[in-house]
Amino acid sequence: MEPAVLQFIELLAVIAAATFGVLLARRKGMDFVGVFSVACMTAFGGGTLRDLFLDRHPLFWIQHEHYPLIVFGLAAVTSLARRIPKLVERALYVPDALGLGLFSVVGTGYALESGTSWFIACLLGTITGTFGGVIGDVVCNEVPSLFRSAPLYATCSFLGCWVYLLLRSVVPQQILAISVGIVLIVLFRLAALYWNIRLPEFSPADVDDRRGP
Amino acid sequence: MEPAVLQFIELLAVIAAATFGVLLARRKGMDFVGVFSVACMTAFGGGTLRDLFLDRHPLFWIQHEHYPLIVFGLAAVTSLARRIPKLVERALYVPDALGLGLFSVVGTGYALESGTSWFIACLLGTITGTFGGVIGDVVCNEVPSLFRSAPLYATCSFLGCWVYLLLRSVVPQQILAISVGIVLIVLFRLAALYWNIRLPEFSPADVDDRRGP
Amino acid sequence: MEPAVLQFIELLAVIAAATFGVLLARRKGMDFVGVFSVACMTAFGGGTLRDLFLDRHPLFWIQHEHYPLIVFGLAAVTSLARRIPKLVERALYVPDALGLGLFSVVGTGYALESGTSWFIACLLGTITGTFGGVIGDVVCNEVPSLFRSAPLYATCSFLGCWVYLLLRSVVPQQILAISVGIVLIVLFRLAALYWNIRLPEFSPADVDDRRGP
């Protein structure tokens, strides 16, 4: 069902996403409980939303029970380090991009199998790939970085999901469509990081500033 | 099942709620990803909570697959505008009140059909009508405006839900109970806006200020 | 199924958790809608996450329909008080610790019955016992106090859940394992409060401070 290479990518991706959570929680001055909790949210948040929205049970981190254990170990090991070098974060960009690709494409596939429309399937794929970070940011009391002008992330996922869906409907080999989708998302994401490609952001000053009547 | 007039109100309400989300996200300086995401949250957040709490699947925005598309189009079109005039927000008060009425009453009905008590049904109706804005505010790192002293909103919904339930149990025509419930909520909300009717708020100074022991 | 003593503890625990929510919402200057909503989140948030994650329906506060009513009454009664003395909060530590014990152990049991691994069961037990406060804090725009260095809370719950699981597998009487688990968590929590036992927190200064590339 799941080739070994995809399982290996998934493992890398969980570790990368969890490590981003560890870094985020440490920046906020949390203790171990916070570090482990935020790491779980960044690693499992997107997939949990997808599973709840599509009514898929057991949730993937309940089924793959070793993932929370791995995140626990990661939080414990990193706790021993007084300082995490900046280099670690940069080294995570590649596994994180792989995870973005894998989770987006797999999430899109799950959604389609549940009978959603193509547009909804791509939305749910993108949510799977990106909303762990949104939940982590919200819980850490920050405006989600996904929603601000930064190198393209959700956009890479969303466009790659469409390519995957188109391929899936024309080529008979599932694994080919999945692979091309993932590779495209990874390349697009790394290109966005390298050339610093961003969407424009709205200037708050351009909006009238009070909500009330 | 759903008369055309209710479908039309629902469409108006989704557009109004999504536009509030667009304005909120722009005030926070987000990019298109943020604007679209927050617009989806304000438009679909309340209904999603209701569906998850009551275990109703597919979620209403997965079933009505054109709604996310409409919100996507709305986010795209408003992105072309450099500035959104204050007038737009004021013009949204009427469709937003209609949406408050419709979603509250319909949510209450769904809850009751799932076998909840009347009180729970009214709570779930109010959540359906109002919690999209709460989720949008939380994700945008603001204390929910629903929870602060502002012209009555949740209160209108909650009281209207009770009237709907009472009517529903005494008059045979469903559509009559629904219509009266919606109209009452709309009138109550518009009156609260016009006369600036608010609940009193608690002064933070009246509370001892630290949680720890 | 549920002996009267456990039901009584549950009632106390809901009241204690809801009162913490009332205090939190008042500190943020909310109105009655906010006070009631936040009280519901702190009282029912953890159990709701557990029920959604394990696909248990109806949710426990929909099934035990008197709990939301009790919280409503509590929010109403406390609204009459202009000022809530600091003493009230201290008096809540014991019922709150009882609730932590009860909800953690019961949540662990539910998870195990759903077929999860022991580690996942303990995680879900801890979430049940502690995440109401996390949700309340997040909605009130604060970094969750559970994740910061404070007298041990989640740690007491997590360790007590393991003891419960171990006992459960060796002693035939369910109620004995449950009771020992609860008592241990309560004693551990009160000891942590009394001797101010905390986990160390990470200093934000030890982390490189920007996330972007």
Side-chain angles (χ1 to χ4, degrees):
Chain A
M1 198 81 181
E2 286 181 25
V5 61
L6 292 189
Q7 282 184 33
F8 181 68
I9 292 178
E10 192 170 87
L11 179 65
L12 279 185
V14 165
I15 292 174
T19 308
F20 279 125
V22 167
L23 292 168
L24 176 61
R26 286 173 72 119
R27 266 198 300 272
K28 303 298 277 193
M30 293 181 172
D31 65 4
F32 179 79
V33 172
V35 166
F36 173 56
S37 301
V38 174
C40 283
M41 290 173 195
T42 52
F44 309 136
T48 302
L49 282 183
R50 174 203 64 201
D51 287 345
L52 291 177
F53 288 172
L54 291 175
D55 201 23
R56 288 171 58 90
H57 290 277
L59 304 184
F60 86 103
W61 54 271
I62 292 181
Q63 189 167 25
H64 297 87
E65 61 196 43
H66 55 291
Y67 283 147
L69 265 173
I70 288 170
V71 174
F72 192 88
L74 185 84
V77 167
T78 55
S79 291
L80 302 177
R82 222 183 110 66
R83 192 182 177 89
I84 297 180
K86 188 80 185 152
L87 195 65
V88 167
E89 199 160 352
R90 292 195 172 232
L92 291 173
Y93 284 133
V94 172
D96 184 62
L98 278 167
L100 179 69
L102 178 76
F103 284 123
S104 303
V105 164
V106 170
T108 305
Y110 285 161
L112 206 70
E113 282 150 28
S114 296
T116 69
S117 71
W118 281 29
F119 182 70
I120 300 281
C122 289
L123 278 191
L124 284 168
T126 306
I127 288 173
T128 312
T130 64
F131 264 54
V134 171
I135 295 173
D137 283 341
V138 168
V139 168
C140 286
N141 207 10
E142 306 215 338
V143 173
S145 57
L146 186 76
F147 296 168
R148 315 207 72 155
S149 186
L152 297 183
Y153 196 79
T155 310
C156 311
S157 162
F158 188 69
L159 295 179
C161 292
W162 278 104
V163 172
Y164 161 67
L165 280 186
L166 289 170
L167 272 182
R168 188 187 149 112
S169 68
V170 294
V171 299
Q173 300 91 338
Q174 272 294 307
I175 191 65
L176 182 68
I178 290 176
S179 307
V180 173
I182 293 175
V183 168
L184 271 182
I185 293 174
V186 171
L187 292 179
F188 193 4
R189 166 65 179 160
L190 294 180
L193 276 171
Y194 189 79
W195 284 295
N196 196 10
I197 309 170
R198 300 160 181 252
L199 293 177
E201 70 187 11
F202 297 98
S203 159
D206 287 343
V207 188
D208 287 303
D209 61 343
R210 281 298 304 147
R211 188 179 192 172
Chain B
M1 198 83 182
E2 288 181 26
V5 61
L6 292 189
Q7 282 184 33
F8 182 67
I9 293 179
E10 192 170 86
L11 179 64
L12 278 185
V14 165
I15 291 173
T19 308
F20 279 125
V22 167
L23 292 168
L24 175 61
R26 286 173 72 119
R27 266 197 299 271
K28 303 298 277 193
M30 292 181 173
D31 65 4
F32 179 79
V33 172
V35 166
F36 173 56
S37 301
V38 174
C40 283
M41 290 173 194
T42 53
F44 309 135
T48 302
L49 282 182
R50 175 203 64 202
D51 288 346
L52 290 177
F53 288 172
L54 292 175
D55 201 23
R56 289 172 57 92
H57 290 277
L59 303 184
F60 87 103
W61 54 271
I62 292 181
Q63 188 167 26
H64 298 89
E65 61 195 45
H66 54 290
Y67 282 147
L69 265 173
I70 288 170
V71 174
F72 192 88
L74 185 84
V77 167
T78 55
S79 291
L80 302 177
R82 221 183 109 68
R83 192 182 177 88
I84 297 179
K86 187 80 185 152
L87 196 64
V88 167
E89 199 160 351
R90 292 194 172 235
L92 291 174
Y93 284 132
V94 172
D96 184 63
L98 278 166
L100 180 68
L102 178 75
F103 284 123
S104 302
V105 164
V106 170
T108 304
Y110 285 160
L112 207 70
E113 283 150 28
S114 296
T116 70
S117 71
W118 280 29
F119 182 70
I120 300 282
C122 290
L123 278 191
L124 284 168
T126 306
I127 288 173
T128 312
T130 63
F131 264 53
V134 171
I135 295 173
D137 283 342
V138 168
V139 168
C140 288
N141 207 7
E142 307 215 336
V143 174
S145 58
L146 185 77
F147 296 168
R148 315 207 72 155
S149 186
L152 298 183
Y153 197 78
T155 311
C156 310
S157 162
F158 188 69
L159 296 179
C161 292
W162 278 104
V163 172
Y164 161 67
L165 280 186
L166 290 170
L167 272 182
R168 188 187 149 112
S169 68
V170 294
V171 299
Q173 301 89 339
Q174 272 294 308
I175 191 66
L176 183 68
I178 290 175
S179 306
V180 173
I182 294 175
V183 168
L184 271 182
I185 292 174
V186 171
L187 292 180
F188 193 4
R189 166 65 179 161
L190 294 180
L193 276 171
Y194 189 78
W195 284 295
N196 196 10
I197 309 171
R198 300 162 181 250
L199 293 177
E201 69 187 11
F202 297 99
S203 159
D206 287 344
V207 189
D208 287 303
D209 60 345
R210 281 297 304 147
R211 187 180 193 171
Chain C
M1 198 80 182
E2 288 181 25
V5 62
L6 292 189
Q7 283 184 32
F8 182 68
I9 293 178
E10 192 170 87
L11 179 65
L12 279 185
V14 165
I15 292 174
T19 309
F20 279 125
V22 168
L23 292 168
L24 175 60
R26 286 172 73 119
R27 266 197 299 272
K28 303 298 278 192
M30 292 181 173
D31 65 4
F32 179 79
V33 172
V35 167
F36 173 56
S37 301
V38 174
C40 283
M41 289 173 195
T42 52
F44 309 136
T48 302
L49 282 183
R50 175 203 63 203
D51 288 346
L52 291 177
F53 288 172
L54 292 175
D55 201 24
R56 289 172 57 91
H57 290 276
L59 303 184
F60 85 102
W61 55 270
I62 292 182
Q63 188 167 27
H64 297 88
E65 62 195 43
H66 54 291
Y67 283 148
L69 265 173
I70 288 170
V71 174
F72 192 88
L74 184 85
V77 167
T78 55
S79 291
L80 302 176
R82 222 183 109 68
R83 192 182 177 90
I84 298 180
K86 187 80 185 150
L87 195 64
V88 167
E89 199 160 352
R90 291 193 173 235
L92 290 173
Y93 285 133
V94 173
D96 184 62
L98 278 166
L100 179 68
L102 178 75
F103 284 123
S104 303
V105 165
V106 170
T108 304
Y110 286 161
L112 207 69
E113 283 151 27
S114 296
T116 69
S117 71
W118 280 30
F119 182 71
I120 300 281
C122 290
L123 278 191
L124 285 168
T126 306
I127 288 173
T128 312
T130 64
F131 264 54
V134 171
I135 295 173
D137 283 342
V138 168
V139 168
C140 287
N141 207 9
E142 307 214 338
V143 174
S145 58
L146 185 75
F147 296 168
R148 316 206 71 155
S149 186
L152 297 183
Y153 197 79
T155 310
C156 311
S157 163
F158 189 69
L159 295 179
C161 292
W162 278 103
V163 172
Y164 161 66
L165 281 186
L166 290 170
L167 273 181
R168 187 188 150 112
S169 67
V170 294
V171 300
Q173 300 91 337
Q174 272 295 308
I175 191 67
L176 183 68
I178 290 176
S179 307
V180 172
I182 294 175
V183 168
L184 271 182
I185 292 174
V186 171
L187 292 180
F188 193 5
R189 166 65 178 161
L190 295 180
L193 276 171
Y194 188 78
W195 284 294
N196 195 13
I197 309 170
R198 301 161 181 250
L199 293 177
E201 69 187 13
F202 296 98
S203 160
D206 288 344
V207 189
D208 288 302
D209 61 343
R210 280 298 304 146
R211 188 180 194 171

